Structure formats: structure tokens, C-alpha cells
Amino acid sequence: MSSNIGSMPLRYRVTIDRERCMECGRCIENCSYGVFRWDGDRILINSRNCTACHRCLAYCPRDAIMLEEHPCDYRSHPVWSRQVRESIYNQARTGKIILAGMGSVADLPIIFDHLMLDACQVTTPPTDPLREPVELRTYLGKKPSRLDFARKPNGDIEVSTELAPNLMLETPIMLGHMSYGAISLNAHLAMARAAKETGTYMGTGEGGLHPGLYPYQDRMIVQVASGRFGVNVDYLERGAAIELKLGQGAKPGIGGHLPGEKVSADVSRTRMIPEGSDAISPAPHHDVYGIEDLPQLVNSVKEATGWKKPVFAKIAAVNNNAENVAAIARSGVDAVAIDGFRGGTGAAPRVFRDHVGIPIEVAIATADRELRKQGLRNEVSLIACGSIRESADVVKAIALGADAVYIGTAALVAMGCRVCGNCYQGVCSWGIATQRPNLVARLDPDVASKQVANLIHAWTLEITELMGAAGINSIESLRGNRDRLRGYMLDEGLLEILDVKSVGA
Amino acid sequence: MDGSGIRQALSIMNERGSGEGAGYVAYGIYPDYRDCYALHVFLDHACESKAAVDATLEQWGAIEHDEAIPTCDQPNFRAACTPWRYFFKPDPSLAPGSATPEKDIITNLVMQINASPDGTEVISSGKNVGVFKAGGAGSWPETVADYYRIEDYEGYIWLAHNRYATSCPERWERPDPFNLHDWSIVENGKTTTYGANRRYIESFGYNCSTGTDSEVIAYTIDFLVRRHGLEIDLAIRALAPPYWDEIDRMPEAEQKLNRALRFAYGPATMNGPFTVVAANPDMMVGFTDRGKLRPMVVGECGDRLYIASEETAIRTMEPGVESITRPGAGEPVIGRVAP
């Protein structure tokens, strides 16, 4: 059906400096969105297809391509913004929910950027990490609240308390859950190798575990989501830990959606679903209709794997986050991943992505406080995720009460992703969020894994330096140490919620 | 030992302080009231504050005797409060179900009185033990010792501290030692984990009102030893644990013990530079942070044990000291009172 709306003003305009261009055609080869094409010996441009993925810019040998955002805007208006108007045109035309990729684009203040870290001066000396150890080793899982001891006949003291299985991380940074399907096998391989190299773990997402990843299975956290795609006992047994995905920060309260375009033959086998069909996981787990059902799911997963693996649960950060976390802490779960409202996604309804949920900083701080209040903090580790962008965010999240973080988008960016936000289209020109063999082949897993490992190394070094400067030489001494944070230009209410003092105090 | 020796030993290290606070604690000083909890209290207002303390104590037990702590005015030194002492017997029937009802009552009383805005601070609360301390301008170790006439007290364990003030120099309760019934603490240093440690210990009902490390340390040691039943060496290891690399190299059973301690008591782990000397009626222990960023010297002479920041302090008290050692980082020194 046609509409009378006509075309929107261009979002991006691509131009070629014809003086510089040598007509090599690399832009045509590289653009997977169909912006460039040959017209005889001339390169024609269709800017309307451009997503600003920058693949053409990155691979133009002459820097001849220029890209401009919003070359022609609407009449400016503080209420009827471009985005608002275009959403209306879009929905007037289609009558559908608008899908979007990557994290929230809502222009809201970022709390992390208003938290300042502490350093030692003269009353306490900083620790120099070049000369003294600073421990980033992190254990995820249940900790005993107290210990029982037994004395052996020879007088030695032994612990008689059995320790619950924990995951040992060399750095408090893990690679978050992004499914095979949402991203390519090469992207998965790259992250799995990086996890192995850096002594950390990687989430499988809800797409099952491809046989190509079996060599790295001791570094994988296998996810069980509401669709149960790819889940069988073999899958559970391969993982180092199992994560029950109960929610996701980019789309709290709804299930997952993998567009059929991305369900290739291989994805279909790994997920155990028909090729080309949309994979839509339900909003709730259909065996968890209330909190009292969760322990049964946890126990069944633990029973299936001989009580040897920690079981994580992931939830989206919403209003009663602290209550949710406290409830989960009683269910037998070993760690709770809390996904803030800025968390990324391959595809989510825009209205959810930009409007539902609360910031991760608040969610972690209140969860940590509530767990302590209820005497449950040792029952679960807390994993912060959803827009961890740099090493300082990691330190701040831990100081607010997290044990570790998951990174998702940051790892994709390390592989080349330009955060263009068109993952749901399935033609990612960087070979990351696509299943097309020719595009996937662009991502060399050896090269990309080095880049992801480099990122984790670099952050780990920065975290070590930041901790040393604060005179802290172990992660458990940073955890929940909110006295080492100060809020800058945060309102009193928020400071109280975060339990952080203002700068100057 | 009377208090004159430790007064001399502390004064010799006056360059380590700022003359704005010093304190002493001695065990064995109240043999006549050995069965009572001796509460040393700072009263901001001798009448109103004391009436409130009297009333609170009478709810929880019997005051056997109370009096002003004898003091002697010193030049250029101003008393900011009235030091008072109570000899108190808590009523154990008021803490049913507790394995240590008297200490639970004392702990709660200390928390309650110190948290209230009545201008009252309980500065020590154990049997046969007492803390003597003061702050503000002119509070050099020898001045404070003379003010309380500590040479008049005979004790079998003494701890003392010379304060280099960084905040609230005028507050009398701020200098170490810090005491909670059995345990007394002096600390040289400043932890970088005060907030995390405080949150941990406060989640078990302790209430930190002075903002000092030694308060948190005293409560945490009491918690680990009395409520969780840890031997003192394990409690110290919980506070200043070995590095993971060291744990990895230990024999399996020891690895498990140390890993379990770090798992269970990670939030109590103290970080940053510190030397702590702690005492209870049966022992005196000294330990440093695991990097040993602050000094600790140990002297032995006959059946006497000395732990100090500087050797000179030990030699002042014991010129013929038989051995002087400097324990390695994280290596605790534990001296037990001979039965």
C-alpha cells in the first residue's frame, strides 16, 4: 500500500571526492548495504542505503569518501524531534513495531561519567603495580557465610565447610552473551580464543554451542533462555557455567527475536530450529511463572550436570531490581548478571530499548545494598552489564558492588564494529552480526581474537593502575568500596540511592 | 608493669605524632573488680550525660561502683570531657539464647551509647581493663600519661598509641587504643578499605560511630573470634590474607583453608598500609598488611614480648632486650599470657 508521506530527508549523505578517487571499486566490494554500484566506469552512490557502518571509509585507499550525518534536517523543534517524526511516518506507513539494533540512543545522563575515582596521596601511599602485586583474580559463585573447622590428630586445622563451585577469572571482565545467530561464528571464535588467552569466560547467548567452539568449552558460559534453543544435556555439560536468561536490559519484559534472514543452515542446526524461520523466544520461561518455580529450574539444571557447575541468572534492571535479585539469591543461583537499560541487542523494539529499565549503576548499587541488608550477599556474585565502555566503568561498577562485568558492545567494537545499529538487518559489513558466508569471511578469527584479547589486557592494566593508585591490591577490597567514589553533579536523591558521597565530602 | 615504662617508650617516638592525641590501655588494672565489666566513659556533660548512661546501664544489669577516673591537670592541656568509670555486671538473663550473653549485652550497650547524640562515648568496656586517652592541642603521650597518672596502674599487658591527627584533632575518643570488652587495638596506618570493611561488620549489628580503622578492626576481630569461633591466627589471616599466587603454591589442604578464608571473609580483608597490635586478656598479637608498608619491630626479653613501630621504643623500656626481630610482611606475632 502506498502512502502520501514520500521519502524522508537523507539520514546520511555519502560523497566521493572524484579528484582523489582512483575508481578501484573497493567501496563497491565492501559495502553490503548497496550504497555503491558501477555505472559503466563510474561509481554511483545511493546514500539512502547507507547505515554509517564506515566499511567504505575504512577500506578506501585514497580517503576519497566522505560521510555526512543529517545533511538536511527537519525544521528544528524541541518536542517534535527528528526521531519522533520519523517514527510516526514509519508507523503510519507500516502499522508495525519499530525494530532497532545496539543499545539505547536515549540522550540521558550517564551516571558512570558523574562518578569520580579516588587516589591516595600522603596519608596513605599509593601501591605501585610495577613493584607490588595487585590482584585482579576474581571468583564468581557462592561464598560461605562462615566456616567450620576440624582439627586433625597432628594438630593441623582443616576446613570442613565444602566450598560451592566457583569460576576463577584472571580479570573481572567477561565477554557477555551474544548468540551464534545474532553474531557470526567467526565473531564467536574470536571471543572464545580471547577468553582463553586472557583467563576469562564468554557467554554463548541463547543460540546453542557450535561444534567449532567445543575446543574452548571450558571458557564458555552456556545460556538457557526462554526459547531453550540449542539446549540439551550435552550442551549443559560442555559449559564451565550455565546461565539462565530471565531478562535482557535492551528489552526488559519481552523475549528474544532472531530474524529468519540470519537463520542459516549452521545456525539452524546449532539452535535446533528450522532454517530461515524467525527464532522468537517467549517473554517468560514457561516453567517459571513465579519466583518459587525458579529453584526447581535451577535444581534441575544442577542435577543434570552433577552439581559441579555454577548457575547464573541474568535479569534486566527494572524498578524492583533489588527485590528480584534478593529473590534469586534464595533460589540456589550462584551469580546474578544485571543488565542495565543501556544494554545492547541485535534486535529490540525501539520503544523498549529506549524507555524501559533503569541504569546499571543504580541497579548494582541497590542490589548490593539489599543483599547485604538481608544477609544474602555471599549467596550470589553480582555481574554488571549493559554499556560497560571502558576500564573506569569496570572499576566504578565494582566499587558500587559488582563482582565482575560482562562486556558486549565493547568487544564487538574491538572487532571493528562501528555501532551503526543495523545488526537486525543481517548484512553486517564487518562480518560480525551476519551469517552471510562472504561477509563472515571478512572477520579473521585470529586477527579479531587478538584485538579482543588486547582490549581485555589493556583494560586489565588500567584497572591495575587505578587500584594501585587507590592503594587497593585485591578485587575484594574494591568491591562495594563506595567510599572510594565521589559523585560529581549528581542530585542528593541519587547520591543517597548509590550510597556515594558528593565530591568534596 | 606500671605505666611509666610505656610512657617513656611512647614519648621517645614523639616525632611520629602531632601532639594532638595519645592513649594507653592496660590489662589487669582492676583486680578488686575483676568480675565486673569496667566501662570507661567520656561524659561531655557530667550531670545530664551521666544520668542517661546510669539509666541505660541499670536497664541491663547492675552498677557495682562508679567514680570519676582520677586525673591530674597538666599545663597547656585542657580537658574536653569528664572521664568516668563504671564497674558493671550485666544481667545474662536479658540475652537469652546467646553463647556469650554478657558480651552481647556489653557490645550492644557500647553501640547504643556511642551512637546516641547524648555526648557520651564508651571508650573501653572489658573486665579488668581500661583505656586512658585524650585529644586536642597539647596531648603529647607524656602529657596524657601524666593527666591520667598511668604510673599508678599495674598491668600485665600495655598498649599505647601516639596520634598524628588528620581529622577531628580535638575529639578525645579518636586516638587509639580502641576497645570493645576483651579486645583492644592500636593501629599505625590507614586502610584503603575502611568503607567496605565497615559495611561488612555493620551488617552483623555492629555500629561504627567514630570513623576510625581501629574501631572497625576491634569489632571485626571480636566478630571473627567470638561469634565465628576463629582461632586468632586464622582471624588475622582473614584480615590480611596471603596473595593468590602464594595460596596456589601451598599444599592442597592449606590451599583449601586459605581459599575458604578469602571466600568467606573477603569483605573483611583490610587493604592499604597498617600495623595492628591487638590484645585481649590472654594474648597480645601484632600483624601488618601483606605488603608490610608500615614498620613492626618485635623484641623479646625473658617472658616479656614487645611490639613497636621503632626499636628505640623497645630499648627504652628494656635496655637489655635479648632479641630484636622484624617479621616479614603478613607474618603475625602472637604472644600468649602464661597460665
Side-chain angles (χ1 to χ4, degrees):
Chain A
M1 199 164 61
S2 64
S3 72
N4 73 345
I5 292 167
S7 55
M8 306 287 122
L10 280 181
R11 177 133 188 222
Y12 308 105
R13 183 164 60 204
V14 182
T15 50
I16 295 176
D17 182 342
R18 302 284 170 181
E19 293 275 293
R20 301 192 60 81
C21 175
M22 61 179 194
E23 278 145 11
C24 64
R26 283 197 180 86
C27 49
I28 301 174
E29 285 163 31
N30 273 283
C31 181
S32 52
Y33 296 94
V35 173
F36 305 96
R37 66 187 158 88
W38 285 117
D39 179 32
D41 56 359
R42 198 181 144 80
I43 297 171
L44 287 190
I45 302 169
N46 179 4
S47 290
R48 199 159 287 284
N49 287 348
C50 179
T51 61
C53 78
H54 278 203
R55 184 78 188 183
C56 59
L57 273 76
Y59 282 85
C60 173
R62 289 286 180 90
D63 287 337
I65 302 172
M66 185 47 67
L67 194 156
E68 203 185 341
E69 188 166 10
H70 299 161
C72 163
D73 217 332
Y74 295 78
R75 174 217 159 195
S76 62
H77 194 286
V79 177
W80 300 95
S81 64
R82 180 182 184 112
Q83 199 200 24
V84 164
R85 273 176 270 189
E86 291 197 344
S87 295
I88 293 175
Y89 297 138
N90 195 338
Q91 295 188 304
R93 203 184 272 140
T94 63
K96 302 260 168 68
I97 288 170
I98 299 172
L99 269 190
M102 307 301 302
S104 171
V105 297
D107 185 19
L108 297 166
I110 296 175
I111 297 173
F112 278 136
D113 294 341
H114 292 263
L115 290 171
M116 307 307 291
L117 293 168
D118 193 17
C120 292
Q121 293 297 297
V122 66
T123 58
T124 301
T127 298
D128 184 346
L130 288 177
R131 294 170 179 83
E132 292 170 56
V134 171
E135 298 181 313
L136 264 60
R137 188 188 290 189
T138 304
Y139 285 91
L140 295 183
K142 279 189 195 308
K143 308 290 188 294
S145 61
R146 61 184 300 168
L147 300 171
D148 293 318
F149 300 96
R151 197 176 280 278
K152 290 202 296 190
N154 68 0
D156 285 359
I157 285 197
E158 269 193 336
V159 174
S160 40
T161 308
E162 273 310 311
L163 297 181
N166 269 246
L167 283 194
M168 187 189 95
L169 285 57
E170 292 299 342
T171 180
I173 305 163
M174 294 187 292
L175 296 162
H177 288 261
M178 293 175 284
S179 69
Y180 174 48
I183 60 173
S184 66
L185 185 59
N186 282 357
H188 254 205
L189 274 171
M191 290 197 294
R193 287 178 196 169
K196 194 178 174 81
E197 189 189 323
T198 54
T200 186
Y201 294 84
M202 160 191 169
T204 58
E206 63 170 312
L209 186 66
H210 189 277
L213 291 164
Y214 289 172
Y216 311 97
Q217 62 191 27
D218 58 339
R219 291 283 147 194
M220 308 294 284
I221 301 164
V222 295
Q223 195 177 62
V224 175
S226 56
R228 305 285 156 89
F229 301 126
V231 177
N232 58 24
V233 74
D234 175 66
Y235 171 71
L236 297 179
E237 272 169 359
R238 286 183 187 278
I242 298 156
E243 179 165 308
L244 308 173
K245 181 196 174 188
L246 304 168
Q248 183 179 345
K251 38 186 167 179
I254 62 173
H257 180 195
L258 181 69
E261 293 83 6
K262 285 172 125 175
V263 182
S264 64
D266 231 12
V267 170
S268 114
R269 268 196 299 281
T270 309
R271 265 194 201 227
M272 309 173 192
I273 55 168
E275 198 174 332
S277 66
D278 277 20
I280 297 179
S281 35
H285 281 248
H286 283 308
D287 47 5
V288 183
Y289 273 21
I291 186 62
E292 67 272 24
D293 297 336
L294 183 62
Q296 295 184 352
L297 177 58
V298 174
N299 288 340
S300 62
V301 166
K302 287 195 171 184
E303 188 67 35
T305 52
W307 299 83
K308 289 195 198 82
K309 298 173 196 295
V311 171
F312 297 3
K314 175 169 155 183
I315 53 167
V318 292
N319 293 6
N320 62 345
N321 171 69
E323 238 174 74
N324 274 304
V325 173
I328 294 172
R330 293 182 164 87
S331 71
V333 160
D334 300 278
V336 184
I338 308 176
D339 198 10
F341 82 125
R342 284 199 172 83
T345 176
R350 188 191 61 81
V351 66
F352 277 80
R353 188 194 64 174
D354 296 346
H355 294 280
V356 184
I358 63 169
I360 186 59
E361 301 91 329
V362 168
I364 282 292
T366 52
D368 177 64
R369 181 150 67 172
E370 188 64 23
L371 289 175
R372 282 169 197 272
K373 207 168 100 190
Q374 298 194 28
L376 294 166
R377 185 62 185 85
N378 60 295
E379 290 293 328
V380 284
S381 294
L382 290 179
I383 302 161
C385 48
S387 74
I388 303 291
R389 305 158 298 167
E390 53 178 320
S391 58
D393 290 352
V394 181
V395 174
K396 291 169 188 178
I398 295 173
L400 287 172
D403 290 83
V405 304
Y406 271 141
I407 59 169
T409 304
L412 301 185
V413 172
M415 290 192 275
C417 163
R418 296 299 207 260
V419 197
C420 77
N422 288 272
C423 326
Y424 60 96
Q425 291 196 37
V427 288
C428 174
S429 65
W430 293 89
I432 299 168
T434 179
Q435 301 304 329
R436 295 197 183 179
N438 63 319
L439 297 176
V440 174
R442 292 179 179 183
L443 190 72
D444 180 335
D446 288 332
V447 173
S449 75
K450 191 70 214 156
Q451 288 165 204
V452 175
N454 277 347
L455 181 76
I456 295 173
H457 275 307
W459 285 16
T460 302
L461 285 173
E462 287 181 341
I463 294 168
T464 308
E465 290 288 337
L466 287 169
M467 284 171 58
I472 291 172
N473 65 17
S474 76
I475 274 288
E476 57 256 56
S477 294
L478 176 64
R479 184 179 314 134
N481 200 343
R482 302 166 197 216
D483 291 43
R484 311 309 300 279
L485 296 172
R486 286 292 184 271
Y488 181 49
M489 314 273 281
L490 291 176
D491 65 66
E492 211 176 316
L494 194 48
L495 286 172
E496 202 186 312
I497 295 265
L498 296 171
D499 196 10
V500 167
K501 289 182 184 143
S502 166
V503 287
Chain B
M1 287 178 281
D2 71 35
S4 56
I6 201 162
R7 171 190 180 280
Q8 278 307 106
L10 196 59
S11 305
I12 201 93
M13 297 188 295
N14 266 355
E15 64 186 8
R16 300 187 80 93
S18 63
E20 292 163 297
Y24 301 84
V25 61
Y27 288 79
I29 56 173
Y30 296 130
D32 295 347
Y33 291 100
R34 63 174 74 242
D35 296 328
C36 293
Y37 286 84
L39 305 180
H40 280 202
V41 181
F42 285 154
L43 302 169
D44 280 3
H45 314 285
C47 297
E48 301 95 311
S49 312
K50 184 172 180 304
V53 177
D54 288 354
T56 309
L57 292 182
E58 276 157 6
Q59 279 183 331
W60 291 93
I63 300 169
E64 297 285 310
H65 176 65
D66 74 292
E67 63 189 5
I69 296 175
T71 56
C72 179
D73 285 350
Q74 299 298 309
N76 303 318
F77 172 84
R78 198 180 73 82
C81 56
T82 308
W84 202 270
R85 63 191 170 204
Y86 291 87
F87 296 98
F88 175 70
K89 276 194 175 156
D91 178 354
S93 69
L94 296 176
S98 166
T100 50
E102 293 193 348
K103 284 174 184 164
D104 277 349
I105 292 174
I106 293 294
T107 303
N108 290 337
L109 277 172
V110 171
M111 303 301 141
Q112 186 189 331
I113 293 171
N114 289 359
S116 73
D118 293 342
T120 317
E121 290 284 338
V122 181
I123 57 161
S124 67
S125 50
K127 283 181 179 173
N128 211 0
V129 61
V131 165
F132 304 92
K133 61 185 179 180
S139 298
W140 291 100
E142 60 274 21
T143 317
V144 175
D146 294 346
Y147 174 72
Y148 285 109
R149 300 180 8 201
I150 65 160
E151 72 275 14
D152 292 352
Y153 295 92
E154 283 282 337
Y156 61 93
I157 299 177
W158 282 87
L159 305 183
H161 179 76
N162 181 1
R163 183 173 193 222
Y164 191 118
T166 56
S167 64
C168 306
E170 73 289 353
R171 300 296 305 173
W172 275 42
E173 72 277 11
R174 285 300 284 268
D176 287 352
F178 199 91
N179 166 284
L180 179 70
H181 49 75
D182 281 355
W183 288 101
S184 302
I185 306 290
V186 289
E187 184 213 19
N188 172 2
K190 186 172 164 63
T191 65
T192 53
T193 42
Y194 173 77
N197 301 150
R198 175 180 175 165
R199 275 189 183 82
Y200 176 71
I201 198 63
E202 288 197 332
S203 69
F204 299 102
Y206 293 86
N207 182 13
C208 303
S209 59
T210 65
T212 60
D213 289 349
S214 31
E215 179 182 36
V216 173
I217 299 166
Y219 295 169
T220 308
I221 292 183
D222 174 56
F223 174 73
L224 296 177
V225 173
R226 181 167 63 91
R227 296 203 7 212
H228 276 193
L230 263 61
E231 298 282 341
I232 187 66
D233 55 329
L234 294 184
I236 292 171
R237 205 170 313 171
L239 296 178
Y243 291 103
W244 286 118
D245 285 350
E246 293 166 13
I247 295 174
D248 289 348
R249 291 194 294 270
M250 292 174 181
E252 179 138 354
E254 214 178 321
Q255 260 192 42
K256 190 184 168 201
L257 174 71
N258 283 280
R259 188 176 303 122
L261 280 170
R262 285 195 73 168
F263 273 23
Y265 299 113
T269 294
M270 289 155 49
N271 226 295
F274 61 83
T275 300
V276 171
V277 182
N280 77 358
D282 305 319
M283 67 180 92
M284 178 167 85
V285 300
F287 59 99
T288 65
D289 61 272
R290 54 193 188 159
K292 202 179 181 193
L293 297 172
R294 286 287 154 102
M296 182 168 86
V297 186
V298 177
E300 281 178 87
C301 193
D303 59 358
R304 292 187 295 282
L305 171 70
Y306 299 87
I307 304 175
S309 296
E310 292 187 21
E311 188 178 331
T312 182
I314 298 173
R315 292 200 179 274
T316 302
M317 282 187 86
E318 194 70 66
V321 63
E322 288 158 4
S323 90
I324 290 282
T325 51
R326 289 175 176 75
E331 194 182 309
V333 175
I334 300 174
R336 295 185 197 273
V337 174

